[in-house]
Amino acid sequence: MANAYLVVRIKGQADCPYWATHTMTLLKLDKKYRATILPAKENTLGMLRKVQHYVSWVELDASLAKELIDKKARKGGYQKITAEDLKELGFANSDELGTALAEGKATLSKLKPLKPWFALAPPKLGFKKSTKRLYGNKGILGQNKELDAIVRRMI
Protein backbone atom coordinates (compact mmCIF):
# COMPACT_ATOMS: atom_id res chain seq x y z
CA MET A 1 0.00 0.00 0.00
CA ALA A 2 1.13 3.51 -0.77
CA ASN A 3 2.31 5.97 1.88
CA ALA A 4 1.10 9.13 0.11
CA TYR A 5 -0.89 10.12 -2.95
CA LEU A 6 -0.40 12.96 -5.39
CA VAL A 7 -3.88 14.21 -6.35
CA VAL A 8 -4.55 16.57 -9.26
CA ARG A 9 -7.90 18.15 -10.07
CA ILE A 10 -8.50 17.77 -13.80
CA LYS A 11 -12.01 19.16 -14.28
CA GLY A 12 -13.18 22.66 -13.39
CA GLN A 13 -16.10 24.03 -11.39
CA ALA A 14 -18.79 24.05 -14.13
CA ASP A 15 -21.58 21.47 -13.65
CA CYS A 16 -19.88 20.05 -10.56
CA PRO A 17 -22.41 18.88 -7.94
CA TYR A 18 -22.31 20.25 -4.40
CA TRP A 19 -21.14 17.00 -2.79
CA ALA A 20 -18.16 16.76 -5.19
CA THR A 21 -17.27 20.44 -4.71
CA HIS A 22 -17.41 20.01 -0.94
CA THR A 23 -15.23 16.88 -1.01
CA MET A 24 -12.65 18.58 -3.23
CA THR A 25 -12.64 21.60 -0.91
CA LEU A 26 -11.81 19.27 1.98
CA LEU A 27 -9.00 17.83 -0.17
CA LYS A 28 -7.73 21.43 -0.82
CA LEU A 29 -8.47 21.16 -4.55
CA ASP A 30 -10.47 24.35 -5.15
CA LYS A 31 -9.51 25.05 -8.78
CA LYS A 32 -8.65 23.21 -11.97
CA TYR A 33 -5.03 21.95 -12.21
CA ARG A 34 -4.41 22.22 -8.47
CA ALA A 35 -2.38 19.40 -6.96
CA THR A 36 -1.89 18.29 -3.37
CA ILE A 37 -0.12 15.53 -1.48
CA LEU A 38 -2.24 13.43 0.88
CA PRO A 39 -1.10 10.71 3.28
CA ALA A 40 -2.61 7.32 2.51
CA LYS A 41 -5.48 6.49 4.86
CA GLU A 42 -8.72 4.59 4.36
CA ASN A 43 -10.84 7.74 4.50
CA THR A 44 -8.53 9.51 2.03
CA LEU A 45 -8.89 6.72 -0.50
CA GLY A 46 -12.67 6.75 0.00
CA MET A 47 -12.81 10.49 -0.69
CA LEU A 48 -10.70 10.05 -3.81
CA ARG A 49 -12.95 7.29 -5.13
CA LYS A 50 -15.97 9.50 -4.45
CA VAL A 51 -14.65 12.27 -6.73
CA GLN A 52 -12.79 10.06 -9.22
CA HIS A 53 -14.68 11.60 -12.16
CA TYR A 54 -13.09 15.00 -11.39
CA VAL A 55 -9.57 14.18 -10.13
CA SER A 56 -6.66 11.91 -10.90
CA TRP A 57 -4.20 10.41 -8.40
CA VAL A 58 -1.06 8.30 -8.22
CA GLU A 59 1.25 6.93 -5.53
CA LEU A 60 3.88 9.57 -4.84
CA ASP A 61 7.62 9.01 -5.16
CA ALA A 62 10.22 11.19 -3.45
CA SER A 63 11.79 12.57 -6.65
CA LEU A 64 8.47 14.00 -7.90
CA ALA A 65 7.72 15.43 -4.44
CA LYS A 66 11.12 17.17 -4.38
CA GLU A 67 10.56 18.58 -7.88
CA LEU A 68 7.13 19.93 -6.90
CA ILE A 69 8.52 21.55 -3.75
CA ASP A 70 11.44 23.12 -5.60
CA LYS A 71 9.41 24.57 -8.46
CA LYS A 72 5.81 25.02 -7.30
CA ALA A 73 5.66 25.31 -3.48
CA ARG A 74 4.47 28.72 -2.33
CA LYS A 75 3.88 30.57 0.93
CA GLY A 76 1.70 33.57 1.81
CA GLY A 77 1.64 36.26 -0.86
CA TYR A 78 2.36 33.54 -3.44
CA GLN A 79 6.11 33.84 -2.83
CA LYS A 80 8.55 31.01 -3.46
CA ILE A 81 9.84 29.19 -0.39
CA THR A 82 13.47 29.61 0.63
CA ALA A 83 16.01 27.52 2.53
CA GLU A 84 15.27 29.58 5.67
CA ASP A 85 11.57 28.65 5.42
CA LEU A 86 12.51 24.96 5.22
CA LYS A 87 14.77 25.29 8.27
CA GLU A 88 11.91 26.90 10.24
CA LEU A 89 9.76 23.89 9.36
CA GLY A 90 12.48 21.56 10.68
CA PHE A 91 13.83 20.22 7.38
CA ALA A 92 17.40 20.66 6.17
CA ASN A 93 16.51 20.91 2.47
CA SER A 94 13.80 20.15 -0.08
CA ASP A 95 15.05 16.54 -0.47
CA GLU A 96 14.29 15.85 3.18
CA LEU A 97 10.85 17.46 2.95
CA GLY A 98 10.10 15.54 -0.26
CA THR A 99 10.94 12.19 1.30
CA ALA A 100 8.90 13.02 4.42
CA LEU A 101 5.88 13.88 2.26
CA ALA A 102 6.33 10.77 0.08
CA GLU A 103 6.54 8.51 3.14
CA GLY A 104 3.43 10.07 4.67
CA LYS A 105 5.28 11.42 7.73
CA ALA A 106 4.43 15.05 6.93
CA THR A 107 1.36 16.70 5.42
CA LEU A 108 1.18 19.95 3.48
CA SER A 109 -1.76 21.25 5.51
CA LYS A 110 0.24 20.97 8.77
CA LEU A 111 3.28 22.87 7.40
CA LYS A 112 1.91 26.31 8.17
CA PRO A 113 3.67 28.94 6.06
CA LEU A 114 3.31 26.69 2.99
CA LYS A 115 0.17 26.63 0.88
CA PRO A 116 -1.51 23.19 1.06
CA TRP A 117 -1.59 22.91 -2.75
CA PHE A 118 0.53 23.37 -5.86
CA ALA A 119 -0.79 25.47 -8.77
CA LEU A 120 0.07 23.64 -11.98
CA ALA A 121 -0.25 24.69 -15.62
CA PRO A 122 -1.98 22.63 -18.32
CA PRO A 123 0.44 19.97 -19.60
CA LYS A 124 2.80 20.84 -22.43
CA LEU A 125 1.67 19.17 -25.65
CA GLY A 126 -1.73 18.54 -24.02
CA PHE A 127 -3.30 15.41 -22.61
CA LYS A 128 -2.69 12.31 -24.71
CA LYS A 129 -5.90 10.64 -23.51
CA SER A 130 -9.45 11.77 -22.82
CA THR A 131 -10.09 14.00 -19.79
CA LYS A 132 -13.68 12.75 -19.65
CA ARG A 133 -12.99 9.05 -19.03
CA LEU A 134 -11.49 6.96 -16.27
CA TYR A 135 -7.99 5.54 -16.64
CA GLY A 136 -9.23 2.02 -17.40
CA ASN A 137 -11.40 3.35 -20.25
CA LYS A 138 -8.64 5.14 -22.19
CA GLY A 139 -8.82 8.29 -20.06
CA ILE A 140 -6.79 9.96 -17.31
CA LEU A 141 -9.29 10.30 -14.45
CA GLY A 142 -9.24 8.18 -11.30
CA GLN A 143 -6.20 6.20 -10.20
CA ASN A 144 -3.73 6.82 -13.02
CA LYS A 145 -0.35 5.06 -13.19
CA GLU A 146 0.91 7.55 -15.80
CA LEU A 147 0.05 10.71 -13.84
CA ASP A 148 3.63 11.33 -12.70
CA ALA A 149 4.74 11.89 -16.33
CA ILE A 150 1.77 14.20 -16.92
CA VAL A 151 2.56 16.20 -13.76
CA ARG A 152 6.19 16.60 -14.82
CA ARG A 153 4.87 18.20 -18.04
CA MET A 154 2.56 20.44 -15.97
CA ILE A 155 5.34 21.83 -13.75
Side-chain angles (χ1 to χ4, degrees), residues 72-122:
K72 290 295 182 176
R74 299 288 187 258
K75 59 184 181 180
Y78 208 68
Q79 298 171 346
K80 288 188 174 186
I81 60 168
T82 60
E84 292 82 33
D85 296 327
L86 292 173
K87 285 187 176 47
E88 288 176 18
L89 293 171
F91 297 100
N93 53 21
S94 60
D95 292 330
E96 201 173 300
L97 179 57
T99 54
L101 287 170
E103 292 171 0
K105 295 178 181 172
T107 59
L108 282 176
S109 57
K110 299 261 174 29
L111 302 172
K112 265 308 155 202
L114 295 182
K115 300 244 182 228
W117 41 260
F118 304 105
L120 301 176

Side-chain angles (χ1 to χ4, degrees), residues 6 58 60-69 148 151-152 155:
L6 173 67
V58 69
L60 182 66
D61 61 335
S63 64
L64 183 58
K66 179 200 174 302
E67 197 171 336
L68 277 168
I69 291 164
D148 53 351
V151 168
R152 288 184 200 280
I155 292 177

Side-chain angles (χ1 to χ4, degrees), residues 3-16:
N3 293 327
Y5 295 111
L6 173 67
V7 186
V8 180
R9 182 169 178 171
I10 302 296
K11 291 191 173 183
Q13 293 94 339
D15 294 333
C16 189

